[in-house]
């Protein structure tokens, strides 16, 4: 077999295409078989219009598909046209060139032999020597040949810069025969949305093309790159007075060069919004998202009922039926939710959000309304279902995910196909980012009422923006904040300490008879020993907790001796140690073993699963599961995600992490029987009040802090809110302010 292992552990194989098994014309994805020195190898990848008879040199790795078995996943492809008469005829007979079938293929090869492809590329009019090929057909064949050869040249050119074939395919789909010319004129167009090449890779091409450092092409792409990097850490925009110096330093350009290009790019790649005498710069998607949210909420608010009816009788009936007595703010929230078009219901733990929400849903349903409940993540949706007893879906599942021809995620439900919904309840609203909220609003009828539930004191979403905080602080919507801690909740130190923390009061760390415990340990080793002891022995013995199912370790950060990575390795060694009979497989960071607790780290809509005899697709960021088995022969890992059984090939392991310990950010929307949190040293910027508060509110029955009391008190004192640049609050004020009662 023509196989060699390269320095980066990828594999290079060579062979001739025997059969094309599948091709997706829209994105260039292909499945084919090549003959590599007598061995038939199945190859998959985004490689373009490859056909039978071509000779390929491929770089990639072997993976195992749950249904189709071992395949070679190609990332780079060097295509050589067939050079023997037999293979050329096979190539043409396969339909590689439109207008040439098996009959014409034989006639052409009989006439021109091994020079056939050379003739077709350089002297296509000679094809008219073949009986049946008219001048019109000759022109058609010549155009098709030109297209094939241009894509081949583009792939080879970009591969020389270490750029994968998928980027060449995306570029060719967008610009067709003009691709090479456009890229050589401006390689930074490869960084545009839909192709998404890294800026630094485009820089390599630009350097060879001698494009000036102060070229407007380069500066535009550099500005967009900086804005995108800030989007990735949560900002929807960036102040111009911060963007300019960063861009000048990063791109090594003058202030004058920056502003010359910046002013030209306005209203094209970037947009500007003026707030408090300061300009804020957006990428187009985020500018239009925040603008749409503000405008749409303004319309919904104006459309909603202004005179609040008296719902006291209905609320009293609900109280009698459920043997409950709502307090004043709960009654106010229920009444406002039934009358207003937009309501934000917020409050800390133990303040009765779930009880209030149940009443709202019940009363709406009794009036014949169609109520839908959604949450940002699967775990959050499951949690609200368990708490309320009503079915809840993830927002993505509710809107129904689709993909356009370029592979961009979109939703089936939008302005043209709205949800059949009278009332939408969105739980864990603090986790919703601006693009997702825009999609939700686009999918709702104008008459649909929205109840947004969440705790604004928790951490902001992983995606860009801080929707819940902005909605509340704008003071332009009806916001009911529940404040009273109910008697049964007051008995929980988890609840009372959470409220102390969020109000800047140090938690009671001396109580040893409740559900909140603190253990002073001032060395990293002793903290870790205590964590292991609690997980492995003390909590299972005292409470019957399962180390995998009931106990969750939350860390402030990923890095450091008490960060997620190191704690996971230590806990794995204690709970699931290496054994001869226990199979394992290595990823970049972790070694995964049968029995390990793992977490998916990104949304993957293609992973299929089976649960209770039904098939489904999609494993999402934050989903936690358990490795059932590892089959090294089939190169697959079977994982159970809350009853959804799925198969991962080894290539997908890069999307997994061990989950004995996870970051506090990853725990949002989840609730665990017992939470253990080590707090000692680490990165100071991560030790702040909201982080501690969010961690404590993840514990359902038991919260344990281990480390330094001084560090815990410092976290409480540090009320540094996570700064996120956004203009949504200002937009809401401008759009809605004059219409609010």
């Amino acid at each position: 077999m023509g196989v060699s292992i390269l320095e980066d552990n990828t594999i290079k194989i060579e062979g001739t295409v025997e059969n094309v098994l599948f091709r997706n014309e829209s994105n260039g994805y292909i499945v084919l078989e090549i003959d590599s020195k007598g061995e038939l190898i199945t190859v998959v990848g985004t490689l373009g219009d490859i056909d039978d008879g071509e000779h390929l040199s491929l770089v990639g790795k072997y993976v195992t598909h749950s249904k189709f078995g071992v395949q070679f996943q190609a990332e780079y492809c060097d295509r050589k046209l067939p050079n023997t008469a037999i293979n050329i005829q096979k190539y043409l007979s396969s339909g590689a060139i439109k207008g040439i079938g098996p009959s014409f293929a034989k006639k052409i090869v009989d006439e021109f032999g091994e020079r056939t492809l050379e003739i077709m590329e350089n002297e296509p009019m000679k094809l008219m020597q073949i009986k049946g090929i008219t001048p019109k057909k000759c022109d058609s064949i010549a155009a098709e040949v030109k297209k094939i050869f241009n894509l081949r040249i583009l792939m080879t050119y970009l591969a020389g810069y270490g750029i994968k074939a998928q980027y060449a395919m995306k570029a060719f789909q967008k610009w067709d025969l003009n691709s090479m010319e456009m890229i050589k004129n401006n390689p930074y167009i490869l960084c545009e949305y839909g192709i998404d090449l890294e800026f630094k890779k485009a820089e390599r091409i630009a350097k060879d093309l001698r494009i000036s450092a102060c070229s407007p092409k380069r500066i535009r792409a550099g500005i967009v790159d900086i804005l995108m990097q800030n989007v990735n850490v949560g900002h929807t925009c960036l102040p111009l007075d911060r963007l300019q110096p960063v861009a000048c330093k990063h791109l090594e350009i003058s202030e004058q060069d920056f502003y010359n290009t910046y002013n030209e790019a306005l209203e094209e790649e970037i947009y500007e919004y003026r707030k408090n005498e300061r300009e804020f710069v957006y990428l187009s998607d985020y500018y239009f998202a925040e603008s749409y949210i503000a405008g749409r909420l303004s319309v919904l608010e104006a459309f909603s009922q202004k005179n609040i009816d008296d719902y006291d009788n209905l609320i009293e009936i609900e109280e009698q039926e459920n043997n409950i007595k709502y307090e004043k703010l709960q009654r106010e929230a229920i009444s406002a939710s039934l009358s207003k078009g937009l309501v934000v219901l917020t409050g800390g733990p133990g303040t009765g959000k779930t009880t209030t929400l149940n009443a709202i849903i019940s009363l709406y349903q009794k009036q014949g309304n169609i109520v839908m409940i959604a949450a940002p993540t699967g775990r959050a949706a499951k949690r609200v279902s368990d708490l309320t007893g009503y079915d809840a879906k993830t927002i993505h599942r509710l809107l129904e995910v689709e993909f356009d021809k370029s592979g961009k995620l979109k939703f089936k439900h939008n302005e043209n196909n709205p949800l059949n919904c009278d009332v939408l309840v969105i739980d864990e609203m603090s986790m919703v980012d601006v693009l997702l909220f825009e999609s939700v609003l686009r999918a709702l009828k104008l008459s649909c009422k929205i109840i947004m539930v969440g705790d604004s004191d928790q951490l902001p979403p992983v995606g860009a923006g801080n929707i819940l905080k902005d909605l509340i602080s704008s003071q332009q919507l009806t916001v009911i904040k529940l404040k009273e801690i109910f008697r049964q909740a007051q008995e929980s130190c988890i609840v009372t300490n959470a409220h102390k923390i969020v109000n800047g009061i140090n938690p009671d760390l001396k109580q040893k008879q409740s559900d909140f415990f603190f253990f002073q340990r001032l060395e990293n080793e002793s903290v870790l020993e205590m964590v292991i002891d609690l997980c492995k022995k003390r909590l299972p013995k005292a409470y019957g907790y399962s180390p995998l199912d009931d106990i969750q370790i939350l860390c402030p950060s990923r890095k450091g001796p008490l960060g997620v990575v190191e704690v996971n390795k230590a806990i794995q060694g204690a709970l699931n140690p290496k054994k001869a009979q226990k199979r394992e497989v290595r990823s970049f960071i972790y070694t995964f073993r049968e029995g390990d607790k793992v977490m998916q780290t990104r949304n993957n809509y293609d992973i299929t699963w089976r649960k209770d005899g039904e098939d489904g697709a999609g494993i999402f960021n934050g989903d936690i599961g358990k490795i059932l088995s590892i089959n090294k022969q089939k190169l697959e890992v079977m994982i159970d995600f809350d009853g959804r059984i799925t198969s991962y090939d080894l290539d997908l392991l890069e999307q997994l992490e061990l989950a004995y310990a996870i970051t506090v950010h990853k725990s949002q929307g989840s609730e665990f029987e017992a939470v253990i949190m080590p707090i000692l040293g680490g990165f100071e910027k991560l030790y702040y009040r909201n982080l501690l508060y969010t961690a404590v509110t993840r514990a359902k029955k038991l919260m344990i802090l281990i480390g330094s009391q001084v560090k815990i008190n410092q976290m409480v004192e540090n009320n540094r809110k996570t700064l996120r640049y956004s203009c949504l609050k200002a937009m809401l004020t401008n759009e809605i302010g004059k219409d609010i009662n």
Side-chain angles (χ1 to χ4, degrees):
M1 180 170 63
V3 175
S4 58
I5 298 176
L6 307 182
E7 288 184 5
D8 61 356
N9 290 323
T10 56
I11 298 170
K12 182 178 181 180
I13 65 172
E14 293 187 21
T16 302
V17 178
E18 288 293 312
N19 299 294
V20 174
L21 305 174
F22 169 82
R23 73 170 80 240
N24 185 326
E25 300 286 353
S26 65
N27 62 14
Y29 183 80
I30 194 167
V31 181
L32 52 86
E33 292 178 326
I34 67 168
D35 179 352
S36 182
K37 293 189 176 180
E39 181 174 352
L40 206 60
I41 300 173
T42 301
V43 175
V44 300
T46 306
L47 307 176
D49 295 323
I50 293 173
D51 290 283
D52 296 354
E54 291 192 57
H55 187 82
L56 306 181
S57 178
L58 302 161
V59 176
K61 52 191 171 184
Y62 283 100
V63 299
T64 300
H65 191 283
S66 57
K67 183 176 181 181
F68 301 112
V70 177
Q71 302 172 330
F72 185 83
Q73 188 174 72
E75 296 179 355
Y76 302 97
C77 175
D78 182 15
R79 301 167 63 178
K80 298 176 182 176
L81 289 174
N83 55 12
T84 66
I86 292 175
N87 280 335
I88 291 172
Q89 184 174 333
K90 184 176 182 180
Y91 172 67
L92 295 176
S93 297
S94 69
I97 298 173
K98 292 177 183 176
I100 299 179
S103 176
F104 272 128
K106 186 176 187 309
K107 291 178 182 179
I108 295 171
V109 174
D110 285 346
E111 178 69 25
F112 299 111
E114 294 181 358
R115 293 190 65 237
T116 295
L117 296 178
E118 179 188 338
I119 294 293
M120 296 178 78
E121 180 182 10
N122 301 315
E123 303 175 86
M125 300 312 292
K126 284 188 176 182
L127 294 176
M128 286 191 292
Q129 297 176 24
I130 307 299
K131 186 177 180 180
I133 296 184
T134 63
K136 183 177 180 181
K137 190 175 185 68
C138 191
D139 287 341
S140 174
I141 292 171
E144 189 67 22
V145 169
K146 189 175 182 181
K147 182 177 180 180
I148 292 170
F149 278 60
N150 271 266
L151 176 57
R152 186 184 314 277
I153 292 167
L154 179 63
M155 283 185 163
T156 302
Y157 177 72
L158 294 181
Y161 291 96
I163 298 172
K164 296 179 181 180
Q166 67 191 63
Y167 295 103
M169 273 303 306
K170 289 178 181 179
F172 200 79
Q173 286 172 333
K174 191 168 186 178
W175 301 305
D176 202 35
L177 297 177
N178 298 319
S179 298
M180 181 65 80
E181 180 184 353
M182 292 179 69
I183 290 169
K184 286 193 172 182
N185 179 56
N186 179 11
Y188 297 104
I189 61 174
L190 290 168
C191 304
E192 290 181 4
Y193 185 82
I195 301 176
D196 304 314
L197 184 69
E198 292 178 60
F199 179 78
K200 63 182 180 181
K201 288 195 173 182
E203 286 270 71
R204 295 173 193 165
I205 304 175
K207 185 178 180 180
D208 280 356
L209 295 173
R210 300 182 183 280
I211 292 176
S212 169
C214 56
S215 164
K217 303 169 187 176
R218 177 175 181 267
I219 295 172
R220 279 191 180 213
I223 291 171
V224 169
D225 181 58
I226 292 167
L227 290 172
M228 195 67 233
Q229 288 181 39
N230 279 274
V231 162
N232 292 336
V233 295
H235 305 296
T236 61
C237 56
L238 204 60
L240 178 57
D241 54 35
R242 289 204 61 183
L243 171 64
Q244 177 264 313
V246 170
C248 288
K249 181 179 179 181
H250 178 59
L251 300 174
E252 298 181 336
I253 57 173
S254 70
E255 186 175 334
Q256 186 63 51
D257 286 333
F258 170 85
Y259 279 112
N260 287 343
T261 301
Y262 174 81
N263 291 326
E264 291 176 2
L266 279 176
E267 306 299 312
E268 294 179 8
E269 291 103 330
I270 56 177
Y271 288 78
E272 193 177 84
Y273 186 86
R274 190 170 180 81
K275 179 181 73 170
N276 299 331
E277 304 302 316
R278 197 179 186 193
E279 289 81 15
F280 288 78
V281 188
Y282 283 85
L283 293 173
S284 58
D285 282 356
Y286 295 89
Y287 175 80
F288 289 120
E290 291 200 341
S291 299
Y292 180 85
I293 290 168
R296 183 68 172 178
L297 291 181
S298 174
V299 172
L300 288 170
E301 181 65 24
F303 190 84
S304 70
Q305 199 172 320
K306 293 297 180 183
N307 298 317
I308 300 179
D309 293 335
D310 185 359
Y311 289 100
D312 284 348
N313 288 338
L314 287 176
I315 294 172
E316 287 172 4
I317 292 171
E318 193 72 16
E319 286 178 324
Q320 292 171 8
E321 289 181 357
N322 293 283
N323 192 27
I324 196 171
K325 185 69 176 176
Y326 302 115
E327 55 96 12
K328 181 182 177 182
L329 283 176
Q330 286 182 305
R331 294 178 73 91
E332 184 180 332
I334 297 167
S335 182
S337 298
L338 294 172
S339 59
K340 303 284 286 182
L342 293 167
V343 171
V344 176
L345 176 62
T346 185
T351 56
K353 290 197 302 294
T354 301
T355 303
T356 306
L357 184 58
N358 280 338
I360 294 168
I361 297 170
S362 174
L363 288 171
Y364 264 126
Q365 289 184 333
K366 286 176 179 176
Q367 294 175 32
N369 292 288
I370 299 174
V371 181
M372 294 183 177
I373 308 171
T377 66
R379 294 182 72 85
K382 183 178 185 301
R383 181 170 176 261
V384 72
S385 290
D386 292 343
L387 290 173
T388 64
Y390 296 100
D391 182 48
K393 297 180 179 179
T394 64
I395 293 174
H396 287 79
R397 186 178 165 203
L398 183 74
L399 301 183
E400 297 185 53
V401 173
E402 292 182 332
F403 295 90
D404 62 19
K405 290 184 178 180
S406 67
K408 181 181 178 181
L409 182 149
K410 64 175 186 177
F411 294 108
K412 179 178 178 180
H413 292 287
N414 51 36
E415 300 98 324
N416 301 318
N417 181 28
L419 291 164
N420 182 25
C421 174
D422 301 313
V423 182
L424 177 65
V425 175
I426 307 176
D427 194 35
E428 294 290 352
M429 190 67 194
S430 63
M431 299 176 66
V432 178
D433 62 56
V434 291
L435 295 185
L436 188 57
F437 193 48
E438 177 197 14
S439 296
V440 170
L441 294 179
R442 290 187 183 277
L444 299 180
K445 297 179 293 186
L446 195 59
S447 58
C448 183
K449 296 183 177 182
I450 311 175
I451 316 298
M452 294 167 278
V453 185
D455 186 344
S456 60
D457 291 314
Q458 289 187 20
L459 296 171
V462 174
N466 204 347
I467 292 287
L468 183 60
K469 179 178 177 294
D470 288 340
L471 294 181
I472 293 172
S473 61
S474 73
Q475 299 182 339
Q476 303 304 310
L477 301 179
T478 301
V479 178
I480 310 294
K481 183 170 184 177
L482 303 179
K483 300 175 181 177
E484 181 178 330
I485 305 175
F486 286 87
R487 183 175 57 81
Q488 60 270 34
Q490 290 177 0
E491 298 173 1
S492 166
C493 284
I494 293 174
V495 172
T496 56
N497 278 330
H499 284 273
K500 285 181 179 180
I501 290 167
V502 82
N503 288 306
I505 303 170
N506 292 334
D508 180 5
L509 302 180
K510 296 179 180 179
Q511 175 62 254
K512 297 294 184 183
Q513 302 299 320
S514 185
D515 54 4
F516 192 104
F517 296 89
F518 167 69
F519 296 94
Q520 178 99 337
R521 298 290 187 276
L522 299 179
E523 299 291 336
N524 291 328
E525 294 78 8
S526 60
V527 171
L528 196 51
E529 287 174 5
M530 185 73 177
V531 171
I532 292 171
D533 189 41
L534 287 166
C535 288
K536 186 175 182 179
K537 299 177 182 177
R538 295 172 64 168
L539 297 187
K541 181 179 179 180
Y543 300 92
Y545 287 155
S546 161
L548 264 63
D549 300 330
D550 300 321
I551 302 170
Q552 185 60 59
I553 303 164
L554 300 183
C555 301
S557 68
R558 285 181 51 78
K559 299 179 180 179
L562 293 177
V564 163
V565 174
E566 294 304 319
V567 173
N568 264 320
K569 291 178 179 178
I571 299 297
Q572 181 194 44
L575 298 181
N576 193 26
K578 183 180 181 69
K579 292 183 179 178
Q581 69 272 27
K582 188 165 288 190
R583 286 165 291 193
E584 59 183 41
V585 63
R586 176 80 183 165
S587 75
F588 181 69
I589 297 177
Y590 295 113
T591 295
F592 295 108
R593 297 190 187 110
E594 291 173 333
D596 271 336
K597 183 178 182 179
V598 293
M599 180 177 64
Q600 176 75 8
T601 60
R602 69 184 74 164
N603 290 340
N604 190 319
Y605 301 91
D606 298 323
I607 298 176
T608 58
W609 47 261
R610 168 159 285 206
K611 182 177 182 179
D612 299 329
E614 294 185 9
D615 294 328
I619 300 294
F620 302 109
N621 188 1
D623 284 352
I624 293 177
K626 178 182 178 181
I627 295 179
L628 300 177
S629 64
I630 296 173
N631 189 321
K632 287 194 173 182
Q633 283 69 44
K634 292 184 178 181
L635 301 176
E636 70 176 5
V637 179
M638 299 299 295
I639 305 174
D640 179 354
F641 289 97
D642 290 326
R644 294 169 295 161
I645 310 300
T646 184
S647 171
Y648 276 52
D649 62 46
L650 298 190
D651 186 52
L652 284 176
L653 292 184
E654 66 182 21
Q655 298 182 17
L656 289 178
E657 290 185 348
L658 290 177
Y660 302 102
I662 62 176
T663 62
V664 179
H665 283 82
K666 288 288 188 182
S667 73
Q668 287 178 269
S670 300
E671 195 173 53
F672 310 98
E673 294 293 302
V675 169
I676 302 172
M677 186 177 186
I679 302 178
L680 190 55
F683 303 94
E684 293 299 321
K685 66 179 182 179
L686 293 175
Y687 284 79
Y688 55 96
R689 186 184 300 173
N690 286 60
L691 191 87
L692 179 59
Y693 173 75
T694 300
V696 170
T697 55
R698 299 308 91 207
K700 189 176 180 180
K701 294 182 179 178
L702 186 64
M703 180 73 206
I704 300 176
L705 300 176
I706 308 171
S708 164
Q709 181 172 349
V710 171
K711 182 64 70 174
I712 293 170
N713 292 343
Q714 287 175 351
M715 289 184 77
V716 175
E717 292 167 8
N718 181 10
N719 196 26
R720 180 188 68 83
K721 300 287 185 180
T722 304
L723 173 65
R724 293 213 164 175
Y725 289 116
S726 163
C727 296
L728 180 59
K729 177 182 174 181
M731 292 179 182
L732 286 166
T733 303
N734 291 338
E735 290 281 353
I736 306 179
K738 58 182 178 292
D739 296 324
I740 294 290
N741 285 335

